[in-house]
Short mmCIF file of all heavy atoms in Angstrom, two decimals:
data_model
loop_
_atom_site.label_atom_id
_atom_site.label_comp_id
_atom_site.label_asym_id
_atom_site.label_seq_id
_atom_site.Cartn_x
_atom_site.Cartn_y
_atom_site.Cartn_z
N ASN A 55 -260.87 -46.04 182.23
CA ASN A 55 -261.38 -44.84 181.53
C ASN A 55 -262.50 -45.15 180.53
O ASN A 55 -262.68 -44.50 179.52
CB ASN A 55 -260.18 -44.16 180.83
CG ASN A 55 -260.58 -42.81 180.28
OD1 ASN A 55 -261.18 -41.95 181.04
ND2 ASN A 55 -260.12 -42.45 179.06
N GLY A 56 -263.27 -46.21 180.93
CA GLY A 56 -264.19 -46.56 180.07
C GLY A 56 -264.30 -48.13 179.89
O GLY A 56 -263.18 -48.77 180.03
N ARG A 57 -265.46 -48.71 179.81
CA ARG A 57 -265.65 -50.20 179.77
C ARG A 57 -266.81 -50.52 178.81
O ARG A 57 -267.81 -49.91 178.72
CB ARG A 57 -265.99 -50.66 181.24
CG ARG A 57 -265.98 -52.16 181.29
CD ARG A 57 -266.23 -52.61 182.79
NE ARG A 57 -266.24 -54.05 182.79
CZ ARG A 57 -265.13 -54.78 183.20
NH1 ARG A 57 -264.03 -54.17 183.55
NH2 ARG A 57 -265.25 -56.21 183.08
N GLY A 58 -266.51 -51.63 178.07
CA GLY A 58 -267.48 -52.10 177.21
C GLY A 58 -268.36 -53.02 177.86
O GLY A 58 -268.40 -53.29 179.05
N ASN A 59 -269.24 -53.77 177.10
CA ASN A 59 -270.27 -54.71 177.56
C ASN A 59 -269.62 -55.99 177.91
O ASN A 59 -270.07 -57.04 177.32
CB ASN A 59 -271.43 -54.76 176.57
CG ASN A 59 -272.59 -55.42 177.11
OD1 ASN A 59 -272.70 -55.55 178.41
ND2 ASN A 59 -273.34 -56.14 176.30
N PHE A 60 -268.68 -56.05 178.90
CA PHE A 60 -268.06 -57.35 179.28
C PHE A 60 -268.28 -57.57 180.75
O PHE A 60 -268.46 -56.58 181.45
CB PHE A 60 -266.64 -57.40 178.94
CG PHE A 60 -266.31 -57.69 177.48
CD1 PHE A 60 -266.33 -56.64 176.65
CD2 PHE A 60 -265.89 -58.88 177.07
CE1 PHE A 60 -266.14 -56.89 175.20
CE2 PHE A 60 -265.56 -59.29 175.93
CZ PHE A 60 -265.75 -58.19 174.90
N PRO A 61 -268.42 -58.80 181.31
CA PRO A 61 -268.73 -59.11 182.63
C PRO A 61 -267.57 -58.72 183.52
O PRO A 61 -266.39 -58.65 183.04
CB PRO A 61 -269.13 -60.72 182.70
CG PRO A 61 -268.46 -61.13 181.36
CD PRO A 61 -268.41 -60.05 180.34
N PRO A 62 -267.74 -58.67 184.80
CA PRO A 62 -266.81 -58.39 185.79
C PRO A 62 -265.54 -59.35 185.89
O PRO A 62 -264.52 -58.99 186.37
CB PRO A 62 -267.59 -58.25 187.16
CG PRO A 62 -268.86 -58.04 186.74
CD PRO A 62 -269.16 -58.70 185.51
N ARG A 63 -265.80 -60.59 185.33
CA ARG A 63 -264.73 -61.44 185.29
C ARG A 63 -263.53 -61.00 184.43
O ARG A 63 -262.39 -61.60 184.39
CB ARG A 63 -265.09 -62.88 185.12
CG ARG A 63 -265.82 -63.02 183.74
CD ARG A 63 -266.53 -64.50 183.61
NE ARG A 63 -266.99 -64.72 182.29
CZ ARG A 63 -266.30 -65.09 181.30
NH1 ARG A 63 -265.03 -65.38 181.45
NH2 ARG A 63 -266.78 -65.23 180.03
N PHE A 64 -263.77 -60.01 183.55
CA PHE A 64 -262.79 -59.39 182.83
C PHE A 64 -262.32 -58.10 183.62
O PHE A 64 -263.16 -57.21 183.87
CB PHE A 64 -263.29 -58.97 181.45
CG PHE A 64 -263.44 -60.01 180.45
CD1 PHE A 64 -264.72 -60.76 180.53
CD2 PHE A 64 -262.58 -60.23 179.45
CE1 PHE A 64 -264.81 -61.89 179.66
CE2 PHE A 64 -262.90 -61.22 178.44
CZ PHE A 64 -263.93 -62.10 178.55
N SER A 65 -261.02 -58.18 183.90
CA SER A 65 -260.58 -57.13 184.73
C SER A 65 -259.13 -56.60 184.23
O SER A 65 -258.41 -57.44 183.43
CB SER A 65 -260.45 -57.43 186.26
OG SER A 65 -259.48 -58.50 186.44
N GLY A 66 -258.81 -55.53 184.59
CA GLY A 66 -257.36 -55.02 184.10
C GLY A 66 -256.58 -54.27 185.13
O GLY A 66 -257.20 -53.88 186.18
N LEU A 67 -255.39 -53.93 184.71
CA LEU A 67 -254.60 -53.02 185.47
C LEU A 67 -253.76 -52.20 184.51
O LEU A 67 -253.34 -52.76 183.43
CB LEU A 67 -253.58 -53.86 186.39
CG LEU A 67 -254.03 -54.34 187.73
CD1 LEU A 67 -252.96 -55.32 188.23
CD2 LEU A 67 -254.46 -53.38 188.62
N GLN A 68 -253.22 -51.03 184.98
CA GLN A 68 -252.22 -50.30 184.14
C GLN A 68 -251.20 -49.98 185.18
O GLN A 68 -251.47 -49.51 186.33
CB GLN A 68 -252.73 -49.17 183.50
CG GLN A 68 -251.68 -48.53 182.57
CD GLN A 68 -252.24 -47.25 181.80
OE1 GLN A 68 -253.05 -46.63 182.21
NE2 GLN A 68 -251.66 -47.06 180.58
N PHE A 69 -249.92 -50.16 184.80
CA PHE A 69 -248.80 -49.72 185.76
C PHE A 69 -248.26 -48.43 185.47
O PHE A 69 -248.52 -47.84 184.53
CB PHE A 69 -247.72 -50.95 185.54
CG PHE A 69 -248.28 -52.34 185.89
CD1 PHE A 69 -248.71 -53.11 184.82
CD2 PHE A 69 -248.49 -52.65 187.20
CE1 PHE A 69 -249.22 -54.39 185.08
CE2 PHE A 69 -248.96 -53.94 187.43
CZ PHE A 69 -249.34 -54.82 186.33
N PRO A 70 -247.36 -47.94 186.45
CA PRO A 70 -246.79 -46.65 186.38
C PRO A 70 -246.05 -46.38 184.81
O PRO A 70 -245.91 -45.27 184.42
CB PRO A 70 -245.88 -46.42 187.51
CG PRO A 70 -246.52 -47.40 188.51
CD PRO A 70 -247.12 -48.54 187.67
N ASN A 71 -245.55 -47.49 184.39
CA ASN A 71 -244.88 -47.29 183.11
C ASN A 71 -245.84 -47.46 181.86
O ASN A 71 -245.37 -47.53 180.80
CB ASN A 71 -243.76 -48.36 182.95
CG ASN A 71 -244.16 -49.76 182.89
OD1 ASN A 71 -245.40 -50.10 183.07
ND2 ASN A 71 -243.36 -50.67 182.61
N TYR A 72 -247.05 -47.50 182.17
CA TYR A 72 -248.24 -47.50 181.20
C TYR A 72 -248.37 -48.91 180.71
O TYR A 72 -249.30 -49.08 179.70
CB TYR A 72 -248.06 -46.43 180.18
CG TYR A 72 -248.06 -45.05 180.79
CD1 TYR A 72 -247.05 -44.12 180.43
CD2 TYR A 72 -248.96 -44.66 181.74
CE1 TYR A 72 -247.02 -42.84 180.94
CE2 TYR A 72 -248.86 -43.41 182.45
CZ TYR A 72 -248.01 -42.51 181.96
OH TYR A 72 -247.99 -41.25 182.51
N SER A 73 -247.62 -49.94 180.93
CA SER A 73 -247.88 -51.31 180.60
C SER A 73 -249.20 -51.69 181.10
O SER A 73 -249.62 -51.04 182.27
CB SER A 73 -246.82 -52.21 180.86
OG SER A 73 -246.64 -52.41 182.22
N SER A 74 -249.82 -52.80 180.67
CA SER A 74 -251.15 -53.12 181.14
C SER A 74 -251.28 -54.68 181.19
O SER A 74 -250.54 -55.30 180.44
CB SER A 74 -252.22 -52.55 180.24
OG SER A 74 -253.44 -52.87 180.62
N GLU A 75 -252.20 -55.09 182.01
CA GLU A 75 -252.65 -56.47 182.09
C GLU A 75 -254.14 -56.56 181.88
O GLU A 75 -254.91 -55.78 182.32
CB GLU A 75 -252.31 -57.11 183.42
CG GLU A 75 -250.89 -57.33 183.66
CD GLU A 75 -250.50 -58.12 184.99
OE1 GLU A 75 -251.49 -58.19 185.69
OE2 GLU A 75 -249.40 -58.38 185.19
N LEU A 76 -254.52 -57.66 181.17
CA LEU A 76 -255.93 -58.11 181.16
C LEU A 76 -255.99 -59.49 181.83
O LEU A 76 -255.30 -60.38 181.55
CB LEU A 76 -256.37 -58.16 179.65
CG LEU A 76 -257.67 -58.90 179.33
CD1 LEU A 76 -258.95 -58.20 179.98
CD2 LEU A 76 -257.93 -59.11 177.80
N ASN A 77 -257.02 -59.50 182.84
CA ASN A 77 -257.15 -60.80 183.44
C ASN A 77 -258.54 -61.26 183.23
O ASN A 77 -259.57 -60.47 183.32
CB ASN A 77 -257.08 -60.60 185.08
CG ASN A 77 -255.68 -60.06 185.41
OD1 ASN A 77 -254.69 -60.87 185.38
ND2 ASN A 77 -255.47 -58.71 185.78
N VAL A 78 -258.65 -62.56 182.95
CA VAL A 78 -260.02 -63.19 182.62
C VAL A 78 -260.18 -64.36 183.66
O VAL A 78 -259.29 -65.27 183.59
CB VAL A 78 -260.15 -63.58 181.26
CG1 VAL A 78 -261.70 -64.00 181.04
CG2 VAL A 78 -259.89 -62.47 180.30
N ASN A 79 -261.12 -64.24 184.59
CA ASN A 79 -261.44 -65.44 185.44
C ASN A 79 -262.48 -66.24 184.91
O ASN A 79 -263.31 -65.90 184.01
CB ASN A 79 -261.92 -64.80 186.77
CG ASN A 79 -260.77 -64.11 187.48
OD1 ASN A 79 -259.68 -64.44 187.51
ND2 ASN A 79 -261.15 -62.90 188.10
N ALA A 80 -262.48 -67.48 185.51
CA ALA A 80 -263.59 -68.51 185.10
C ALA A 80 -263.79 -68.66 183.58
O ALA A 80 -264.96 -68.23 183.09
CB ALA A 80 -264.99 -68.09 185.84
N LEU A 81 -262.72 -68.83 182.97
CA LEU A 81 -262.80 -68.93 181.39
C LEU A 81 -264.06 -69.66 180.93
O LEU A 81 -264.28 -70.86 181.49
CB LEU A 81 -261.54 -69.48 180.84
CG LEU A 81 -260.40 -68.38 180.86
CD1 LEU A 81 -259.03 -69.18 180.65
CD2 LEU A 81 -260.58 -67.33 179.97
N GLU A 82 -264.58 -69.21 179.86
CA GLU A 82 -265.70 -69.89 179.26
C GLU A 82 -265.21 -70.24 177.78
O GLU A 82 -264.35 -69.55 177.21
CB GLU A 82 -266.94 -69.09 179.20
CG GLU A 82 -267.45 -68.84 180.59
CD GLU A 82 -268.60 -67.91 180.53
OE1 GLU A 82 -269.20 -67.52 179.44
OE2 GLU A 82 -269.16 -67.57 181.63
N LEU A 83 -265.85 -71.24 177.06
CA LEU A 83 -265.46 -71.61 175.81
C LEU A 83 -265.57 -70.35 174.87
O LEU A 83 -264.75 -70.17 173.87
CB LEU A 83 -266.33 -72.64 175.19
CG LEU A 83 -266.34 -74.03 175.90
CD1 LEU A 83 -267.30 -74.98 175.38
CD2 LEU A 83 -264.93 -74.56 175.99
N ASP A 84 -266.60 -69.38 175.01
CA ASP A 84 -266.76 -68.24 174.17
C ASP A 84 -265.77 -67.28 174.36
O ASP A 84 -265.64 -66.21 173.69
CB ASP A 84 -268.16 -67.64 174.43
CG ASP A 84 -269.30 -68.40 173.72
OD1 ASP A 84 -269.01 -69.34 172.98
OD2 ASP A 84 -270.44 -68.26 174.03
N ASP A 85 -264.82 -67.40 175.43
CA ASP A 85 -263.73 -66.43 175.48
C ASP A 85 -262.56 -66.69 174.51
O ASP A 85 -261.67 -65.84 174.35
CB ASP A 85 -263.09 -66.46 176.94
CG ASP A 85 -264.13 -65.99 178.01
OD1 ASP A 85 -265.12 -65.32 177.68
OD2 ASP A 85 -264.05 -66.62 179.08
N SER A 86 -262.72 -67.80 173.74
CA SER A 86 -261.66 -68.05 172.67
C SER A 86 -261.77 -67.01 171.72
O SER A 86 -262.79 -66.64 171.07
CB SER A 86 -262.09 -69.41 172.18
OG SER A 86 -261.83 -70.44 173.04
N ALA A 87 -260.53 -66.19 171.49
CA ALA A 87 -260.63 -65.09 170.62
C ALA A 87 -259.24 -64.66 170.50
O ALA A 87 -258.29 -65.08 171.14
CB ALA A 87 -261.53 -64.03 171.12
N LEU A 88 -259.08 -63.53 169.63
CA LEU A 88 -257.76 -62.86 169.61
C LEU A 88 -257.94 -61.52 170.53
O LEU A 88 -258.93 -60.89 170.33
CB LEU A 88 -257.51 -62.41 168.14
CG LEU A 88 -256.19 -61.54 167.88
CD1 LEU A 88 -254.98 -62.37 168.09
CD2 LEU A 88 -256.18 -60.98 166.48
N TYR A 89 -257.09 -61.39 171.44
CA TYR A 89 -257.12 -60.35 172.43
C TYR A 89 -256.06 -59.27 171.99
O TYR A 89 -254.99 -59.60 171.87
CB TYR A 89 -256.98 -60.79 173.81
CG TYR A 89 -258.13 -61.50 174.25
CD1 TYR A 89 -258.38 -62.83 174.03
CD2 TYR A 89 -259.09 -60.76 174.96
CE1 TYR A 89 -259.36 -63.53 174.53
CE2 TYR A 89 -260.29 -61.41 175.39
CZ TYR A 89 -260.46 -62.83 175.16
OH TYR A 89 -261.60 -63.52 175.62
N LEU A 90 -256.55 -58.06 171.65
CA LEU A 90 -255.76 -56.95 171.15
C LEU A 90 -255.65 -55.81 172.19
O LEU A 90 -256.62 -55.51 172.83
CB LEU A 90 -256.39 -56.41 169.84
CG LEU A 90 -256.57 -57.41 168.75
CD1 LEU A 90 -257.67 -56.93 167.73
CD2 LEU A 90 -255.21 -57.65 167.98
N CYS A 91 -254.35 -55.43 172.15
CA CYS A 91 -254.11 -54.33 173.00
C CYS A 91 -253.79 -53.18 172.09
O CYS A 91 -253.04 -53.31 171.02
CB CYS A 91 -252.86 -54.62 173.90
SG CYS A 91 -251.99 -53.16 174.56
N ALA A 92 -254.28 -51.95 172.28
CA ALA A 92 -254.07 -50.77 171.42
C ALA A 92 -253.53 -49.66 172.39
O ALA A 92 -254.07 -49.38 173.45
CB ALA A 92 -255.25 -50.26 170.67
#
Side-chain angles (χ1 to χ4, degrees):
Chain A
N55 189 42
R57 187 178 181 93
N59 189 25
F60 280 81
R63 61 189 184 84
F64 286 78
S65 63
L67 279 174
Q68 188 178 32
F69 300 99
N71 66 354
Y72 303 131
S73 66
S74 177
E75 287 183 355
L76 164 65
N77 299 289
V78 187
N79 295 321
L81 283 167
E82 301 177 359
L83 297 180
D84 285 348
D85 295 334
S86 295
L88 179 66
Y89 287 84
L90 296 161
C91 160

